[in-house]
């Protein structure tokens, strides 16, 4: 089945979103160069007027093209959640939108910022577009297109050379959660990787950008226990899979594909061999977000 119409729309919406995001930034410099008003959603989790502006525009573009489709946006879900932690997604035609993945980065004018637009059918991500407006990097993929994953119209692939933590450049976000047990477990996990000889450790602050970097082979593997919500990973999942990688649920021990559910989730993405080793060293995460 062809998803070209959905892919074309996602690209157009992402590029329009990028224009809006750039309009709030005065260029080089720190947070003083960003004109977007900032609010705190909870703890250290931020939202800006740019987030809501972008989400409103992208949702309208989708509604105009596919009026019967369901649209799930991060900021709307923060105000009026459709479902609770770990509840499954609708099975029809569903769009998943993160208007600015990496809002804290955006506030500080740190360039790991991405628009993430994913399309699902049958609860499976089928189309993914991730766009970083500051590096002008447009990542795209559609299931069954035969084109694989493209970065600015050029084909890209995962880092297939990485086979273990010893030759892995790993990106790992900690996220916004600050519960003592979660912080301790997250820090212990990093220690395990380093003690096992991890080649390099990075933390970008954007799940969508991380998955795009995995798909393009710029990092070997991405791990996160507690990404913010399905809008963080929906589009990137398509990018990684179409680039030859796997996207697994880090909470499962049998190499299970990540399934789209509401609430915080756990992901490990990259080439199959390196994902297996990263998960082996990390061990199964135990912190339960539904009980915290």
């Amino acid at each position: 089945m062809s998803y070209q119409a959905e892919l074309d729309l996602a690209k157009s919406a992402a590029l329009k979103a990028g224009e809006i995001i750039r309009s709030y930034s005065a260029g080089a410099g720190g947070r003083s160069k960003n004109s977007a008003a900032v609010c705190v959603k909870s703890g250290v989790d931020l939202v800006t007027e740019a987030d809501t502006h972008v989400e409103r525009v992208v949702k309208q573009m989708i509604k105009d093209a596919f009026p019967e489709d369901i649209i799930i946006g991060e900021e709307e879900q923060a105000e009026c959640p459709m479902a609770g932690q770990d509840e499954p997604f609708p099975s029809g035609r569903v769009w998943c939108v993160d208007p600015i993945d990496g809002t804290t980065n955006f506030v500080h004018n740190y360039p790991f910022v991405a628009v993430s637009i994913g399309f699902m059918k049958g609860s499976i991500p089928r189309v993914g577009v991730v766009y970083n407006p500051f590096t002008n990097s447009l990542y795209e993929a559609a299931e069954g297109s035969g084109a694989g994953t493209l970065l600015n119209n050029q084909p890209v692939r995962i880092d297939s050379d990485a086979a273990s933590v010893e030759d892995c450049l790993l990106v790992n976000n900690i996220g916004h959660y600050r519960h003592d047990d979660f912080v301790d477990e997250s820090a212990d996990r990093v220690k395990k990787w380093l003690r096992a000889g991890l080649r390099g450790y990075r933390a970008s602050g954007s799940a969508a950008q991380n998955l795009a970097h995995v798909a393009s082979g710029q990092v070997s593997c991405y791990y996160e226990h507690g990404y913010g919500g399905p809008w963080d990973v929906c589009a990137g999942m398509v990018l990684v899979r179409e680039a030859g990688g796997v996207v697994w649920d880090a909470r499962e021990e049998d190499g299970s594909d990540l399934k789209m559910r509401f609430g915080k989730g756990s992901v490990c993405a990259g080439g199959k061999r390196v994902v297996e080793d990263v998960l082996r060293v990390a061990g199964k995460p135990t912190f339960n977000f539904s009980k915290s």
Side-chain angles (χ1 to χ4, degrees):
M1 180 175 182
S2 173
Y3 295 102
Q4 190 61 48
E6 291 83 357
L7 179 61
D8 289 343
L9 173 61
K11 289 194 292 184
S12 296
L15 291 170
K16 179 61 178 177
E19 293 177 11
I20 297 170
I21 292 168
R22 283 193 299 267
S23 73
Y24 286 93
S25 176
R31 72 172 92 182
S32 63
K33 299 295 185 180
N34 191 314
S35 65
V38 181
C39 297
V40 176
K41 283 198 283 191
S42 63
V44 295
D45 194 8
L46 306 179
V47 63
T48 74
E49 62 178 309
D51 291 81
T52 53
H53 184 178
V54 168
E55 185 167 307
R56 186 170 63 250
V57 169
V58 170
K59 288 177 66 176
Q60 190 59 55
M61 292 178 70
I62 296 171
K63 286 179 181 178
D64 289 345
F66 299 104
E68 302 302 317
D69 289 4
I70 298 169
I71 308 170
I72 298 174
E74 177 183 13
E75 306 313 330
E76 181 184 54
Q77 288 300 300
E79 294 291 331
C80 303
M82 184 181 293
Q85 177 70 38
D86 289 327
E87 292 187 31
F89 256 52
S91 60
R93 291 176 54 91
V94 180
W95 294 82
C96 206
V97 178
D98 192 337
I100 301 180
D101 188 45
T103 298
T104 300
N105 291 347
F106 172 65
V107 168
H108 288 263
N109 236 24
Y110 187 63
F112 288 119
V113 172
V115 182
S116 178
I117 302 174
F119 170 76
M120 293 181 292
K121 188 175 182 182
S123 301
I124 298 173
R126 311 287 185 177
V127 171
V129 171
V130 172
Y131 178 54
N132 183 324
F134 296 114
T135 61
N136 196 30
S137 302
L138 180 69
Y139 303 80
E140 60 177 284
E143 181 184 279
S145 70
T149 299
L150 304 180
L151 167 55
N152 292 342
N153 295 315
Q154 298 299 314
V156 291
R157 298 288 289 177
I158 60 159
D159 175 11
S160 58
D161 293 329
S164 68
V165 294
E166 287 89 349
D167 55 4
C168 171
L169 179 58
L170 175 70
V171 62
N172 163 232
N173 289 351
I174 302 298
H176 303 110
Y177 217 69
R178 295 297 180 264
H179 189 286
D180 286 348
D181 290 345
F182 174 74
V183 171
D184 290 343
E185 181 179 302
S186 299
D188 287 344
R189 187 179 301 118
V190 176
K191 291 177 185 177
K192 290 179 182 179
W193 289 322
L194 295 175
R195 288 169 177 154
L198 181 68
R199 172 175 286 180
Y201 178 90
R202 303 291 183 267
S204 77
S206 169
Q209 184 70 83
N210 292 343
L211 288 164
H213 280 162
V214 168
S216 60
Q218 292 166 281
V219 298
S220 311
C221 184
Y222 162 48
Y223 179 106
E224 184 168 0
H225 178 53
Y227 61 77
W231 38 81
D232 288 346
V233 298
C234 179
M237 289 170 66
V238 186
L239 301 180
V240 173
R241 288 171 179 165
E242 292 297 312
V246 299
V247 185
W248 287 354
D249 189 328
R251 295 170 293 189
E252 302 295 336
E253 298 178 300
D254 59 353
S256 297
D257 288 337
L258 182 64
K259 294 180 173 58
M260 296 301 294
R261 295 183 180 276
F262 286 96
K264 294 183 179 296
S266 301
V267 62
C268 192
K272 183 175 182 290
R273 292 182 300 166
V274 73
V275 165
E276 287 175 336
D277 204 45
V278 165
L279 290 174
R280 176 189 64 81
V281 174
K284 185 176 180 178
T286 59
F287 189 84
N288 190 334
F289 295 99
S290 64
K291 296 181 179 178
S292 60

